[in-house]
Amino acid sequence: MNKKTRGFLRLAAGFIILTLSFELEAAVTAYPSIPDLITSPYFTVTADSQQIWTELAGSRLRQFEYALYGSREEEDLNIASFACSGPVKLTIKAPGKIEKYVIRPRSRNIKAQVDGDMLSFTIDGPQKLYIEINNLPHLSIFADPEETSARKKGDHSVIYYGPGVHNPGKIYLVSNMIMYLAPGAIVNADLFGREINNVRIEGRGNLQGKIELTRVHDFHAEGICIRNTKGWTNTLTDCHGCSFRNVKIFSYEAIYSVDGIDPVSCSDITIDDCFMRCRDDCIAIKSVDPSMKVDSIYISNCVLTGWACSDGITIGFELNGGPVQNIHVNNCDILYARGDGRTRGHAAFSIVCDGPAMVRNISFENIRVEENVEFKNLEFVVTDGTLYGTDPPGHIKGVLLKNVTWDNVSKPFIIRGYSPDNLVEDIIFENCRAGGKPILSEENADIRTNRFVKGLIFKK
């Protein structure tokens, strides 16, 4: 190889290295900081070489609530959001030496290095993480996919909210409407829609408020972060063909009735790749009208943190209407389930049939429940129908639990019917584990039943 050729190869190699370096830098898109919001005093987050603005959200509890329900540190949540298109090295700087940490979901098996006050690790692409360091307020990392077709100001039928603070107060949605929240935007508003169709809310910005929809078809939320302090965060009543994808929900301050997403007498609902940390149930499916059924609800790839009085996922309590059927939950991580309730404690996931509805054809597959379960691992019960009303009791028939793991073996599994006519029946545990051990009988997993449970089956 002559001198000229070697020089050319060195030049080419340098160009390739420079190009790869540029592509690595370009793999991360940092979002703007938001005026009037609080920059975290606890954590500095860097993704590759870019600093990611990190917010401290939720720090507005009144003093008496601190004493009753926990400290401000427990309530607050640090949030670092950005977009990426490939592997990213994350570095988190804490305010002091890192003595302990947990990166959740544990199922991601992320290996980290600690160097004094620095925690470093690499993620393989977009995902949602929940990180606990020392006794500090917890940190959520939202690594979004890059937007491939972001809306622009002036686009037809688009209501555009750019970076910064917006205070519309209330927004009434109309058919064929597109609302876009740009990265770095926060919109302080409650959204309402009634008897409309074809509505989209998109972007990487923030909504401070709640969404209430009634008899709406084809509503789709994608990418946004919703934080809420008053009532159910997303209430869908008699809605059909709707979806939430890559939506992040944080409800705080109120103790009860700040659920994440509540499909009420709905059909064809998809909740995919969402993160929720809610003081009340993260996802609660309900049936309230005898003339309507709940049908075809799909929940997948979600990270659910039941923070105060909360299940990760519940079907119930209010099941006073038509049949509830074809609900399928797949590939979700439930990080916390805490708080007392009307059935003496919340569960990681549950069916509480408090009303005359027939609940049938339900599946929970590839679910991972982490150790922070306060009262119950699971609850499938038929009540007397009077916990939330005065209706007669119902029935649960046909539930598949497949490839479900519970880390906390010390918490019970409650499965109880109400009467010979109000059974819990045909429940299958297939390849399920508690505390790392296979669930092969009622006894080896503290499964508590009564005489109104029929057809309880265990499979390897």
Side-chain angles (χ1 to χ4, degrees):
M1 185 183 297
N2 60 38
K3 192 173 184 179
K4 184 175 181 181
T5 302
R6 286 197 300 270
F8 174 78
L9 290 175
R10 282 196 297 269
L11 182 63
F15 177 77
I16 291 170
I17 291 170
L18 181 62
T19 301
L20 289 174
S21 176
F22 175 78
E23 289 178 352
L24 183 62
E25 294 292 327
V28 173
T29 300
Y31 298 157
S33 61
I34 303 176
D36 298 342
L37 299 188
I38 301 171
T39 297
S40 172
Y42 300 105
F43 299 115
T44 301
V45 177
T46 302
D48 288 342
S49 62
Q50 297 195 56
Q51 184 169 325
I52 305 302
W53 178 66
T54 303
E55 178 195 358
L56 180 67
S59 57
R60 285 177 284 183
L61 280 178
R62 294 185 293 275
Q63 287 297 324
F64 77 92
E65 290 177 311
Y66 296 157
L68 287 175
Y69 303 111
S71 69
R72 173 175 292 186
E73 284 70 30
E74 288 183 328
E75 173 72 1
D76 289 350
L77 181 65
N78 298 278
I79 302 172
S81 302
F82 59 94
C84 65
S85 58
V88 176
K89 181 180 179 181
L90 291 173
T91 301
I92 299 165
K93 184 178 186 300
K97 183 180 180 181
I98 296 175
E99 303 287 353
K100 59 181 180 179
Y101 71 92
V102 181
I103 300 175
R104 306 184 192 274
R106 291 182 183 271
S107 62
R108 305 288 163 82
N109 295 312
I110 292 174
K111 307 301 181 185
Q113 296 78 44
V114 174
D115 183 5
D117 61 355
M118 308 288 282
L119 180 71
S120 299
F121 56 91
T122 297
I123 58 175
D124 58 10
Q127 59 188 283
K128 298 165 180 66
L129 300 176
Y130 191 78
I131 302 173
E132 303 167 15
I133 296 177
N134 295 344
N135 294 315
L136 299 168
H138 297 169
L139 169 66
S140 286
I141 300 287
F142 300 142
D144 291 317
E146 294 278 5
E147 290 186 275
T148 56
S149 56
R151 310 288 179 173
K152 297 181 178 60
K153 190 172 184 178
D155 285 353
H156 180 67
S157 298
V158 174
I159 296 178
Y160 183 93
Y161 290 98
V165 180
H166 308 270
N167 298 299
K170 292 184 179 180
I171 297 174
Y172 293 93
L173 306 173
V174 298
S175 293
N176 304 313
M177 175 180 178
I178 300 170
M179 181 181 298
Y180 181 79
L181 281 60
I186 186 162
V187 178
N188 297 305
D190 296 327
L191 277 55
F192 303 92
R194 189 178 186 87
E195 297 179 351
I196 57 176
N197 60 81
N198 190 28
V199 177
R200 304 188 68 89
I201 300 177
E202 303 174 353
R204 300 291 188 263
N206 301 270
L207 175 69
Q208 176 72 54
K210 60 183 181 178
I211 299 175
E212 293 186 7
L213 306 175
T214 304
R215 293 191 288 279
V216 172
H217 290 252
D218 295 317
F219 168 87
H220 304 284
E222 190 276 326
I224 65 172
C225 180
I226 307 173
R227 58 278 300 277
N228 175 49
T229 61
K230 48 185 179 179
W232 296 350
T233 305
N234 296 278
T235 307
L236 287 73
T237 304
D238 191 15
C239 295
H240 311 277
C242 302
S243 69
F244 291 78
R245 299 183 189 276
N246 187 27
V247 173
K248 288 76 70 173
I249 297 170
F250 172 43
S251 68
Y252 58 99
E253 289 193 7
I255 305 304
Y256 305 108
S257 299
V258 279
D259 296 358
I261 300 176
D262 290 64
V264 181
S265 298
C266 294
S267 66
D268 190 18
I269 305 296
T270 298
I271 302 170
D272 179 62
D273 189 26
C274 293
F275 170 93
M276 301 179 206
R277 199 190 94 174
C278 301
R279 278 192 153 284
D280 213 328
D281 297 321
C282 294
I283 299 173
I285 299 164
K286 305 176 186 295
S287 175
V288 298
D289 189 329
S291 68
M292 296 184 291
K293 63 183 178 181
V294 176
D295 198 347
S296 301
I297 296 183
Y298 304 94
I299 302 166
S300 57
N301 308 312
C302 292
V303 177
L304 305 171
T305 305
W307 190 243
C309 294
S310 176
D311 284 21
I313 301 166
T314 184
I315 302 171
F317 280 66
E318 298 93 323
L319 297 182
N320 317 99
V324 178
Q325 60 193 22
N326 304 319
I327 297 174
H328 302 292
V329 183
N330 184 48
N331 193 36
C332 292
D333 293 275
I334 299 175
L335 309 186
Y336 280 75
R338 303 199 298 183
D340 205 344
R342 300 191 186 196
T343 59
R344 299 181 181 177
H346 283 268
F349 56 91
S350 65
I351 302 172
V352 181
C353 189
D354 185 50
M358 165 62 82
V359 182
R360 59 195 176 203
N361 191 25
I362 313 298
S363 67
F364 297 91
E365 299 188 52
N366 306 304
I367 310 299
R368 299 158 296 273
V369 180
E370 300 197 5
E371 75 275 14
N372 290 303
V373 172
E374 186 175 8
F375 285 98
K376 304 168 189 171
N377 276 327
L378 173 146
E379 183 171 42
F380 296 160
V381 298
V382 177
T383 75
D384 65 359
T386 65
L387 295 181
Y388 273 87
T390 57
D391 289 299
H395 203 105
I396 300 172
K397 180 179 175 64
V399 182
L400 172 65
L401 299 110
K402 184 175 181 180
N403 302 329
V404 182
T405 62
W406 290 267
D407 286 348
N408 193 337
V409 72
S410 69
K411 303 304 176 182
F413 298 71
I414 309 298
I415 304 177
R416 290 176 178 160
Y418 178 71
S419 77
D421 297 319
N422 307 104
L423 301 174
V424 177
E425 58 180 328
D426 299 339
I427 310 298
I428 299 173
F429 286 79
E430 182 177 344
N431 191 33
C432 294
R433 304 176 78 86
K437 297 181 179 180
I439 299 176
L440 300 175
S441 68
E442 294 183 36
E443 293 75 21
N444 76 342
D446 192 10
I447 297 176
R448 303 177 187 180
T449 65
N450 63 8
R451 60 195 175 97
F452 306 121
V453 175
K454 307 295 183 185
L456 186 58
I457 298 171
F458 301 92
K459 297 182 179 180
K460 291 184 179 180

